[in-house]
Amino acid sequence: PVFRTLPGTFIAFHWHGDMFKIPPDASRTAQSEGCANQAFECGRVIGLQFHLEYSEKSIDLMFRNCGDELVDGKYIQKPDEIVSQINNVHKMNGILNTLLDNIEREYFR
């Protein structure tokens, strides 16, 4: 229920090498071509394999501290591609706020 008011599709920030399997009694709530398990809900537990909380500063820090992880790969963007989408930061932060509001409304009221 906490995902129902989010956009049907959006481009989120990813920076991960590990992926998870959803628990047997969970519901997958997001997926992509590159990662089947982008998000799930299992009771009051929510798992995300993407970042809505990123900022220009956090992306810069990722480049500085983990830039060596950006190797050639089908689903790995080049640094200039990531920077070209930096304007998505505010949109993703808005989606994060909506998700958090939904969590509060669903589970804490």
Side-chain angles (χ1 to χ4, degrees):
V2 299
F3 289 89
R4 72 176 157 255
T5 62
L6 301 186
T9 61
F10 56 87
I11 298 173
F13 186 69
H14 296 83
W15 195 300
H16 55 79
D18 298 321
M19 294 190 201
F20 58 77
K21 292 181 180 177
I22 63 172
D25 53 342
S27 299
R28 179 182 293 121
T29 53
Q31 63 186 16
S32 70
E33 181 182 322
C35 182
N37 297 319
Q38 289 284 4
F40 71 86
E41 283 185 86
C42 185
R44 292 174 62 160
V45 174
I46 296 169
L48 302 177
Q49 185 69 40
F50 54 87
H51 299 275
L52 297 173
E53 79 288 352
Y54 68 99
S55 65
E56 291 180 36
K57 182 178 180 178
S58 65
I59 291 172
D60 182 57
L61 290 170
M62 292 295 288
F63 284 139
R64 283 197 240 165
N65 296 302
C66 306
D68 59 324
E69 296 175 6
L70 295 176
V71 298
D72 286 335
K74 183 175 181 178
Y75 299 107
I76 300 175
Q77 289 183 299
K78 306 276 187 248
D80 60 326
E81 293 173 311
I82 294 170
V83 171
S84 75
Q85 296 177 11
I86 205 78
N87 61 338
N88 283 338
V89 166
H90 300 292
K91 183 178 181 180
M92 291 305 103
N93 292 168
I95 292 173
L96 172 61
N97 288 334
T98 299
L99 178 62
L100 293 173
D101 287 345
N102 291 349
I103 290 169
E104 179 183 27
R105 192 171 20 263
E106 187 70 26
Y107 300 127
F108 297 103
R109 287 193 180 167

